[in-house]
Amino acid sequence: MRPWLGGVLGALAIAQPLSAEESPLPPPYEGVYQPQGVDEIGFWREDDESERALAASPLVIRDAALNSYVKGVLCDTVGPDRCNAVRVYILREPTFNASMSPNGTMRVFSGLFLRVRSEAELGAVLGHEFGHFERRHSLAGFRRARSGTDLLAWTSLLVSMAPSYGAASSQRSLEMAVYGQIFRHGRDQEREADRLGVSYLNQGRLRPQAASEVWKTVMTEAESSARSRGLKKPNFKAIAFFASHPPEAERADNLAALAVPDGAARDDGALRYREALAPFMPQFLDDQIKLNDFGASDFLIENMAESGGWSAPLWFSRGELYRLRGAQRDFVNAADFYARAIALDPSLAEAHRGLGLALFKTGRREEGMTALKEYLNLKPDASDAKMIALMLPQDTGS
Amino acid sequence: MMFIRRIALAICLALSLSVPAMAQERSATRQGFELAPGEGKKILVFRPAVSVGGQSTAGMFEPNGEWTEAARRNIEASLARLQAQLGNQVIAAPEAYGEDAQNLQEHLALFAAVSQAVIEYQFFVGNRLPTKKKDNKEDVFDWSLGSGVADLPGAKDADYGLFIWNRDAYGSTGRKVLQVLALLGPGVAVKSGEHRGYAGLVDLKTGDLLWLNADGAMGGDVRKEDGSDKRVRQLLEDFPGSSIAAEEPAA
């Protein structure tokens, strides 16, 4: 009895530190890595080719200041020796994503910049991707998928040679088991990358607690998007069978537990982040608004206002968001938001345009015309100048 | 993870019966276009897109760096050997930088998209778009990349541009064994290996697609020199004005 109990307690004692593993530090850096073996060399070769195309892609944002800033945040997170292995490409694509491929190509989507609010949060995402790279997850995932599907190919052959109800049914069970294994392997890789991402932050100068906050923002955005579409709020704790990532709530909890507690007092670089991104935010916000996801866009704008205060571009974006949804009640709100943007920055031509169009829609033609005239004054060679001029009274005499 | 997405496809490949080759055209030439040998026209060859690998037992593509490098070398060498028989001067496109490279990249992608459209909506007769069979006459071949091609690097010094694309997956031992057993056992046809390629000629002044040859089942082992000659012969088989035969002349 006692040894058995002891065994269980021993198992618990071992399990305990594993589940609540505290404040890890990254493994020692292995230095410049070259691919090994047929599979890996093949992947790098394909990847080199795709990077060649990526480097010349019109989607890449080539602004030198933005690129060096993002690379700098990555280096602050993973350390200078590791970050030399990476080429960062910023893509104009308004979704929340970043990825890193086997040869050290990092793709950062512009939508990410709307969803993180500080250098620490940005570093958390980039560090996570670097973790996939350092652990060479793509290769392991490929091998897992290949051996799993190979097994299925053989068993499906055997089953088709002995067609019976029992054989077909066990083949289906095996298929589910193999797919389940492949997807679970993927989720475990995400967990490992999460752990590595925090460990980089732990040893750096940025606040590691930020990693957990990214996921909280993502969950609130998803809730907001679902609410505005009248859907049930998503369940952030359930693991779907085919999910490629662990559930968000689990990630937020784990990341919070892994961060070193005394790191909470560190700087998270929110102010520097807002300053560096300020010139690009109007464009990124515009891309986001055109995704036609009112709830998510509204949440992102308010989230940014909460961390950095309401600025003219933010009020303007909110006005655009409401005006483009285009219900009659939205135009009243939109006109109000544009007016606030103009109050902060009277030279924002597009805000005058939006204000004018929104006022027209609410029946305030005279005020609308004044606003549109101001738009044409500020931007006489706008691409829609002729169309806007049609809405103004023609000069008598001409 | 991008590989996860491929799994479903791999399974489909593994289990699908191979469809008997449908009556499908493989090449076409723009009406009125003739390229007589010895005209002294210059043909600009853009960097061939080559990807060679294996095929796992279940049908997943396994990229192979060494084979791809060998194939690229071989194909370029074969092109150089066979260029005399094209009857015109073949020059390699210069390396592009900066905005030129971006422009080139966009046009390579555009060519790939247009070629896919030609294969889907022109070569596959049953699926042919109404605009591609004017008055129900079958010999209409009217596709273009637009006059932007005139600004591509190297286009000023040449008359025509040649694009080449190749993808090979050689069946692994497991795949071949599966193929044999599946045929002997339940009588299921499993396809081993995949060899696709296409080549297209574009007028560098107007952007019109002058000739396209696309084949979903090409011969010749591009990993070897003589095999690559055979492949390039097949690709350039009915190149306008060329004297290349699909098979090497028995000499």
Side-chain angles (χ1 to χ4, degrees):
Chain A
M1 189 70 189
R2 199 169 272 181
W4 179 82
L5 192 64
V8 169
L9 287 178
L12 282 176
I14 294 167
Q16 202 56 32
L18 271 180
S19 61
E21 190 183 359
E22 264 173 34
S23 6
L25 287 174
Y29 181 53
E30 288 170 6
V32 178
Y33 178 78
Q34 288 301 316
Q36 286 152 22
V38 174
D39 289 335
E40 196 169 19
I41 292 172
F43 268 115
W44 280 52
R45 170 86 195 33
E46 292 267 299
D47 211 14
D48 288 345
E49 201 64 19
S50 104
E51 187 184 355
R52 192 186 163 93
L54 176 67
S57 162
L59 280 180
V60 172
I61 299 173
R62 295 188 170 74
D63 183 87
L66 181 65
N67 276 283
S68 81
Y69 177 73
V70 173
K71 182 81 192 273
V73 172
L74 174 69
C75 292
D76 279 345
T77 307
V78 301
D81 44 359
R82 281 186 167 86
C83 97
N84 275 337
V86 183
R87 279 93 49 216
V88 178
Y89 297 89
I90 301 170
L91 297 170
R92 193 178 151 196
E93 152 72 59
T95 46
F96 172 60
N97 208 352
S99 70
M100 192 148 178
S101 57
N103 77 347
T105 313
M106 182 177 269
R107 293 165 170 84
V108 181
F109 288 12
S110 61
L112 175 65
F113 296 117
L114 296 177
R115 286 161 179 87
V116 298
R117 294 166 302 180
S118 64
E119 287 183 357
E121 291 188 4
L122 178 60
V125 176
L126 300 184
H128 167 95
E129 294 306 329
F130 191 88
H132 281 308
F133 167 70
E134 180 157 359
R135 286 288 164 185
R136 302 202 286 283
H137 280 165
S138 308
L139 183 69
F142 167 75
R143 289 189 170 146
R144 172 64 67 111
R146 179 174 58 188
S147 55
T149 53
D150 281 358
L151 173 69
L152 288 183
W154 287 120
T155 54
S156 68
L157 175 68
L158 289 176
V159 167
S160 60
M161 285 164 89
S164 75
Y165 178 75
S169 136
S170 37
Q171 167 70 9
R172 275 196 298 277
S173 312
L174 181 68
E175 276 176 19
M176 290 318 270
V178 167
Y179 294 156
Q181 277 292 324
I182 292 171
F183 282 102
R184 198 181 70 183
H185 181 72
R187 290 193 294 270
D188 286 345
Q189 287 188 337
E190 296 297 332
R191 291 188 180 102
E192 188 179 21
D194 273 346
R195 204 166 61 241
L196 274 166
V198 172
S199 72
Y200 301 136
L201 282 175
N202 279 344
Q203 64 156 16
R205 64 169 181 80
L206 295 167
R207 199 167 62 90
Q209 279 72 13
S212 161
E213 283 149 23
V214 176
W215 292 106
K216 290 180 187 144
T217 313
V218 167
M219 286 189 278
T220 326
E221 180 191 344
E223 274 177 356
S224 173
S225 170
R227 202 183 312 121
S228 84
R229 286 177 290 152
L231 301 175
K232 217 167 77 175
K233 91 171 193 187
N235 181 355
F236 296 108
K237 288 186 181 159
I239 302 184
F241 187 76
F242 291 109
S244 61
H245 290 68
E248 284 85 351
E250 177 200 310
R251 300 182 78 178
D253 287 351
N254 282 350
L255 290 168
L258 292 172
V260 280
D262 54 352
R266 286 188 211 155
D267 176 27
D268 62 4
L271 194 63
R272 287 193 302 273
Y273 177 78
R274 281 197 298 276
E275 273 171 16
L277 268 298
F280 302 94
M281 279 307 178
Q283 175 77 74
F284 295 166
L285 279 167
D286 189 44
D287 291 344
Q288 166 67 31
I289 286 167
K290 285 174 180 153
L291 289 179
N292 200 16
D293 185 349
F294 184 88
S297 303
D298 200 32
F299 165 75
L300 285 174
I301 292 171
E302 284 188 46
N303 187 37
M304 287 168 74
E306 196 182 302
S307 64
W310 284 98
S311 62
L314 273 182
W315 279 122
F316 167 71
S317 297
R318 202 171 184 202
E320 290 282 278
L321 177 67
Y322 276 74
R323 186 173 66 82
L324 293 177
R325 185 166 74 169
Q328 202 57 33
R329 63 195 152 92
D330 288 327
F331 292 116
V332 182
N333 289 327
D336 176 40
F337 300 147
Y338 287 124
R340 285 168 193 258
I342 293 169
L344 289 174
D345 179 8
S347 67
L348 195 63
E350 277 77 14
H352 290 281
R353 173 181 179 274
L355 177 64
L357 294 174
L359 288 175
F360 258 78
K361 283 280 191 182
T362 51
R364 292 153 71 184
R365 285 179 58 90
E366 292 302 319
E367 293 162 78
M369 282 181 195
T370 320
L372 291 182
K373 270 183 201 152
E374 185 58 25
Y375 168 58
L376 292 181
N377 278 342
L378 287 167
K379 213 174 175 184
D381 51 355
S383 62
D384 61 351
K386 282 184 181 161
M387 202 173 76
I388 295 291
L390 284 178
M391 301 177 76
L392 299 175
Q394 304 301 308
D395 289 337
T396 51
S398 66
Chain B
M1 298 292 301
M2 55 181 177
F3 303 108
I4 303 288
R5 267 179 261 142
R6 292 189 186 160
I7 296 169
L9 182 67
I11 303 280
C12 291
L13 283 176
L15 304 177
S16 70
L17 311 179
S18 77
V19 186
M22 269 171 281
Q24 189 169 350
E25 293 173 2
R26 287 197 349 232
S27 84
T29 310
R30 191 180 173 85
Q31 283 67 51
F33 172 67
E34 275 174 31
L35 184 60
E39 249 184 275
K41 299 279 190 195
K42 286 184 178 159
I43 298 171
L44 189 68
V45 183
F46 295 103
R47 188 169 182 270
V50 181
S51 176
V52 186
Q55 190 182 34
S56 76
T57 306
M60 281 172 75
F61 181 68
E62 307 166 291
N64 186 311
E66 199 187 323
W67 292 353
T68 305
E69 280 310 319
R72 173 183 300 288
R73 267 198 317 275
N74 288 339
I75 286 176
E76 276 171 5
S78 302
L79 266 177
R81 261 197 298 281
L82 292 167
Q83 62 163 303
Q85 297 177 48
L86 286 178
N88 286 286
Q89 193 188 343
V90 176
I91 45 180
E95 182 71 39
Y97 299 93
E99 284 186 11
D100 277 350
Q102 291 174 39
N103 193 16
L104 177 63
Q105 186 55 41
E106 275 197 81
H107 277 89
L108 289 176
L110 179 63
F111 174 76
V114 171
S115 311
Q116 281 310 311
V118 172
I119 292 165
E120 188 104 345
Y121 298 114
Q122 171 109 29
F123 287 175
F124 185 33
V125 179
N127 207 16
R128 190 167 284 173
L129 289 176
T131 48
K132 303 302 171 196
K133 45 180 180 187
K134 202 159 63 190
D135 302 330
N136 276 330
K137 285 188 195 111
E138 293 300 329
D139 48 354
V140 174
F141 186 70
D142 183 17
W143 301 81
S144 179
L145 303 188
S147 55
V149 293
D151 299 325
L152 290 179
K156 297 223 168 10
D157 312 319
D159 302 284
Y160 306 114
L162 183 62
F163 295 86
I164 292 177
W165 185 93
N166 246 303
R167 179 172 167 117
D168 289 81
Y170 291 90
S172 60
T173 312
R175 184 74 175 174
K176 286 174 187 156
V177 174
L178 182 78
Q179 182 183 30
V180 172
L181 291 183
L183 197 63
L184 293 179
V188 175
V190 171
K191 203 174 153 221
S192 171
E194 180 199 14
H195 306 281
R196 288 186 294 145
Y198 55 81
L201 190 70
V202 169
D203 188 322
L204 286 178
K205 306 284 179 292
T206 61
D208 288 344
L209 188 56
L210 300 170
W211 166 82
L212 186 76
N213 182 8
D215 202 335
M218 306 212 59
D221 187 341
V222 285
R223 296 168 296 181
K224 303 195 178 76
E225 274 186 33
D226 49 345
S228 136
D229 268 4
K230 184 177 172 196
R231 169 69 57 90
V232 173
R233 278 174 187 287
Q234 238 176 25
L235 273 175
L236 300 180
E237 187 179 351
D238 36 30
F239 188 86
S242 91
S243 51
I244 296 176
E247 295 300 321
E248 204 167 349

